[in-house]
Amino acid sequence: MVKKISMLALAGLLALPALASAGGGAADNSDLDRKIQDLSAQLDQLKAQMAAQNEATNAKIGALDNTVATFSDRADDWDLAARIKLSGDYRARMDFYNATTAGTLLNPNGTRVGSRDLDNDTAWTNRFRLNMRVSATENVEFKGRLAMYKVWGMQSAMADASNTAWPQFDGNSTRTPSDNALRVDRAYVNFNNIGGAPVWFSIGRRPTTDGNPANIRMNLSERSGTPLIMDYPFDGISLGYAYNWAQNMGTGRVRFCYGRGFEDGLQVDGDGMEDMDFVGINWDILQKGDRFLHAQSFLAMNVINYPNFQDPIIDANFGAMSGMGDRVNVGNINHSGLLYMDKVANLNFFATGSWSRTDPNDNGMFNDYYGMNMRTTGPNTSSENGYHAHLGIRYDIDPIGLKLGAEWNYGSQYWIGFTPGHDDLYQSKIAARGNVYEIYGIYDLPTGPVISKYAKTFMRLGYQRYEYDYAGSNDWNMYPYDLSNSADLAKLGMIGVDPIESADQIYVTLEVAF
């Protein structure tokens, strides 16, 4: 606009002489001079305005250049931050637990005390977990999870006189309710596409909890950890290979795994202790959609009689309190299982079958402590076989966001669950030597449109019934005394053990994933 005005003014100046010649008078010439001076002044003013405007425009362009450069610098920072993907979940849970013991304890006069009732009318817990995933290079990624699992009103493990809750140790850390500390639950690095092939190597704190089929009743949208009968957090490595079945039948993955369950540390020569290690194979034989066939087999070598607890006072006195004495290696345990799960329409279902076998050393496994105390028998050095079955269904009523499920599992006399990292409040149902029945419902809360792709808000309400046939579930040290045999009950009373014979548990949760 300024340029247009200037051109008009210039055209006017050029036209003035012609106008003057046309008028011809002296007065006209004087008036014309005055007008020319006015127009010249206006033109100078316009030039000054144009110069100021150009200066301001150049200043804005310079500022914009600086802003663009700043944005470029910030983009690098934003890119670094964007590589770290965060997600998490929070769970509030309330449990009611009632158990009846076998009634094996003796009065001073030698008569049996009788069954005892153990109750916890309301046990509240908070659990918070923060997941992270970040790529270091195209083929190297880190995955981690921090977890806090706390009992309301407690800054330590729950006080428990019935031996139904264990103190924290490496195999149940972050999985057993305790204080409000945020601990490392998982931390491992994956090296993918090794040599351009579908091969990977992984090392760190392993994702060996909450695997299939537990994801069905936990309402997890995808597999969270190692499947089947392994709920044991440990540190180790794995080497994996992925493949495709022909004719689009599905995919598969096989992993060779190694881990350490107990580090013996620096010891005096000849103390007889060895590190406890795991080695095995974890094989997703076939997976296509909801169809999943999985096999798992591992060997636990140089198994210890009891773990290293976090609390040094408990750790130093546990042997004396339990009667198991010093910590020693007791032998090897073989463990294998097979899982099949699928979904037809809205019906999810699964079936598992598992086998465990002990191979004790001279310290023995499944020892008859009564006979050893009476000096009528020694440590049990015979191998024992245990068996386990687990069946479950869940029907999804999608229009109303409701899911109804039921499960049953059974463990034989010598069954070993290897599940100290279980998600049950007290005793692992998968480790039970006997029957466990469970029914539950899951309700997806109508909380509005999701903000995060990880978002999920739901409640779970469930009931579990434990019926034990044998003592010592999840333990490979003590002989699994028959709870229906009067002679075995008397032996338990003589060694001061009163195991739970049956238990009822009701739980309700409020869970939010984000």
Side-chain angles (χ1 to χ4, degrees):
M1 179 60 120
V2 175
K3 290 183 178 180
K4 290 181 179 180
I5 294 173
S6 301
M7 294 301 295
L8 290 173
L10 183 60
L13 289 174
L14 292 174
L16 285 176
L19 294 173
S21 299
D28 292 338
N29 289 336
S30 174
D31 185 55
L32 179 62
D33 289 338
R34 182 177 54 78
K35 291 181 178 180
I36 291 174
Q37 291 175 0
D38 291 342
L39 289 173
S40 297
Q42 293 177 12
L43 181 60
D44 291 338
Q45 184 179 2
L46 289 173
K47 288 180 178 180
Q49 292 177 355
M50 288 178 63
Q53 185 176 6
N54 288 336
E55 184 178 353
T57 301
N58 291 334
K60 291 181 179 179
I61 292 175
L64 182 60
D65 288 340
N66 293 333
T67 303
V68 171
T70 303
F71 283 158
S72 179
D73 294 337
R74 291 178 182 177
D76 293 336
D77 295 334
W78 290 337
D79 180 63
L80 289 173
R83 291 186 302 110
I84 302 176
K85 298 179 180 179
L86 298 176
S87 62
D89 62 81
Y90 167 78
R91 182 182 77 183
R93 173 167 170 161
M94 190 275 287
D95 286 81
F96 163 80
Y97 185 82
N98 172 265
T100 302
T101 69
T104 60
L105 298 182
L106 302 178
N107 289 307
N109 60 8
T111 61
R112 290 174 58 182
V113 173
S115 299
R116 298 176 298 152
D117 286 331
L118 308 174
D119 292 287
N120 193 338
D121 54 357
T122 53
W124 290 86
T125 56
N126 286 329
R127 189 188 70 186
F128 163 68
R129 301 188 299 195
L130 179 65
N131 305 296
M132 60 197 73
R133 180 175 181 175
V134 57
S135 295
T137 68
E138 182 179 359
N139 294 319
V140 177
E141 65 175 351
F142 168 81
K143 293 182 179 181
R145 184 164 79 183
L146 305 178
M148 179 274 288
Y149 191 11
K150 184 185 183 299
V151 180
W152 286 22
M154 295 292 290
Q155 273 290 87
S156 61
M158 289 181 290
D160 197 328
S162 62
N163 296 323
T164 56
W166 282 60
Q168 286 209 21
F169 62 96
D170 189 60
N172 71 358
S173 180
T174 72
R175 307 289 300 176
T176 293
S178 183
D179 55 23
N180 60 5
L182 192 63
R183 296 181 171 87
V184 176
D185 183 45
R186 298 175 178 180
Y188 57 99
V189 173
N190 293 333
F191 294 80
N192 302 314
N193 303 317
I194 298 176
V199 176
W200 71 93
F201 171 78
S202 182
I203 184 169
R205 182 72 170 174
R206 311 308 302 154
T208 48
T209 54
D210 296 341
N212 298 2
N215 64 316
I216 297 295
R217 69 184 176 105
M218 292 182 179
N219 200 32
L220 300 175
S221 57
E222 59 184 16
R223 176 165 135 188
S224 177
T226 302
L228 214 55
I229 31 74
M230 182 67 158
D231 253 323
Y232 198 121
F234 67 89
D235 308 291
I237 61 177
S238 67
L239 179 65
Y241 171 74
Y243 60 88
N244 293 314
W245 284 89
Q247 298 178 350
N248 196 31
M249 291 178 58
T251 62
R253 294 187 175 195
V254 59
R255 310 166 188 81
F256 300 94
C257 306
Y258 162 79
R260 175 145 295 173
F262 175 76
E263 167 59 47
D264 185 43
L266 187 63
Q267 301 292 332
V268 178
D269 289 342
D271 69 350
M273 281 289 291
E274 299 289 345
D275 298 326
M276 174 180 166
D277 292 329
F278 304 101
V279 62
I281 183 172
N282 193 280
W283 186 10
D284 300 347
I285 301 173
L286 183 148
Q287 183 166 18
K288 184 176 181 181
D290 296 303
R291 182 171 300 161
F292 186 49
L293 178 63
H294 177 84
Q296 178 179 282
S297 183
F298 65 89
L299 172 66
M301 301 174 290
N302 302 314
V303 173
I304 52 178
N305 52 348
Y306 58 91
N308 186 31
F309 297 110
Q310 286 185 339
D311 190 321
I313 297 177
I314 293 176
D315 191 57
N317 293 280
F318 188 79
M321 292 188 298
S322 66
M324 290 189 291
D326 295 333
R327 185 179 289 113
V328 295
N329 298 115
V330 295
N332 301 335
I333 297 176
N334 294 276
H335 219 283
S336 298
L338 185 68
L339 161 69
Y340 178 75
M341 60 189 304
D342 205 343
K343 183 177 182 179
V344 176
N346 290 340
L347 181 66
N348 304 269
F349 62 92
F350 68 85
T352 74
S354 306
W355 163 75
S356 64
R357 178 181 174 86
T358 54
D359 183 17
N361 59 20
D362 291 340
N363 292 315
M365 303 175 83
F366 293 125
N367 293 319
D368 180 2
Y369 290 142
Y370 172 80
M372 293 172 66
N373 290 337
M374 299 298 293
R375 303 185 184 278
T376 59
T377 185
N380 176 41
T381 57
S382 299
S383 295
E384 308 290 355
N385 294 291
Y387 305 94
H388 179 261
H390 187 191
L391 304 176
I393 58 172
R394 192 189 77 189
Y395 187 77
D396 301 343
I397 310 174
D398 294 331
I400 59 174
L402 183 63
K403 305 167 185 176
L404 302 175
E407 296 186 9
W408 164 82
N409 62 274
Y410 169 79
S412 69
Q413 182 174 16
Y414 292 100
W415 165 245
I416 298 173
F418 239 85
T419 55
H422 61 85
D423 193 48
D424 302 302
L425 181 64
Y426 285 106
Q427 295 187 330
S428 166
K429 76 170 194 172
I430 299 300
R433 293 174 184 149
N435 294 277
V436 179
Y437 308 91
E438 180 172 6
I439 57 173
Y440 63 88
I442 300 170
Y443 179 55
D444 294 322
L445 297 174
T447 54
V450 298
I451 304 300
S452 164
K453 69 177 182 178
Y454 306 106
K456 188 181 289 188
T457 56
F458 62 93
M459 296 186 68
R460 282 195 300 150
L461 173 64
Y463 166 72
Q464 295 172 319
R465 170 68 180 178
Y466 293 74
E467 296 178 353
Y468 295 98
D469 295 332
Y470 303 94
S473 296
N474 220 21
D475 178 29
W476 48 75
N477 294 289
M478 185 178 71
Y479 173 76
Y481 297 97
D482 188 344
L483 299 184
S484 63
N485 184 292
S486 58
D488 280 359
L489 291 177
K491 292 178 180 180
L492 286 167
M494 292 297 292
I495 61 175
V497 176
D498 188 19
I500 291 176
E501 187 173 39
S502 63
D504 297 285
Q505 182 161 309
I506 299 173
Y507 61 85
V508 59
T509 73
L510 172 62
E511 306 187 42
V512 178
F514 47 87

